[in-house]
Amino acid sequence: MRTRLVGVLRPGPCRAALTGALLGALLTACGDSGSTSGGDFKPNGSPTTAQASPTTPTSTAPSALPTEQVNQTVLQRYLEYQKVYKRAYEQNDPTELATVAVNPLLGQVSKDVERTKAKGQIWRFTNVSNPKVYARAKDGATVYVIDCMRTLSGYRFSATTGKRTAGGTGDAFVYRTALRYDAGLWKVSDSVRDKKC
């Protein structure tokens, strides 16, 4: 599948933050590392094999990475968002969402979780996901994922009695989701439900 470039959704502090993060990393790399070598090049072993986890912030600009690496990271973060989204509804606690989402979606989902909690309900569901990267912004700071999300079942339960109050089998819809590079991490910023799939 060929990834197509699209215009940026909205200009904002993302580019400035990305530039600042990159500049900070360059300045840190040029700073004193505590070495007493006097600047001489003296390799003393093999490179480390430790890799950053998908949730560890990196200061490398997404446009500086190979497209396949960015796509893989974005899809991992998208799937992590789906797990955190599910936990937020199961536990009626949206606090963990900030690790995988930014506004406007963060605010929308957090309010919905709080409304569900205020009704004394818990929402449990099972989804099957098949996400693919389908586009990216020209500046590389936003990547778009398309997903045919199938809800196998979704039920609401009373938080006090545990009895099922609503729900049943679900449908499958196409979701188009934007992930934005924010403070060194890819986070979901917007999602739109489209036609059935």
Side-chain angles (χ1 to χ4, degrees), residues 93-173:
D93 184 8
T95 54
E96 190 182 0
L97 285 168
T99 64
V100 292
V102 293
N103 285 321
L105 189 67
L106 175 61
Q108 294 166 355
V109 175
S110 295
K111 286 178 187 174
D112 191 53
V113 170
E114 291 297 334
R115 279 193 298 266
T116 303
K117 182 178 181 178
K119 292 178 186 176
Q121 296 178 331
I122 295 173
W123 186 24
R124 298 235 167 117
F125 51 89
T126 303
N127 290 333
V128 177
S129 178
N130 185 24
K132 293 177 180 35
V133 171
Y134 77 95
R136 69 184 66 253
K138 290 180 183 178
D139 68 353
T142 304
V143 175
Y144 302 91
V145 172
I146 191 165
D147 191 1
C148 178
M149 181 72 69
R150 177 174 299 281
T151 301
L152 299 178
S153 64
Y155 295 98
R156 290 190 188 263
F157 295 89
S158 168
T160 54
T161 66
K163 292 185 179 182
R164 188 179 341 168
T165 59
T169 58
D171 286 321
F173 289 94

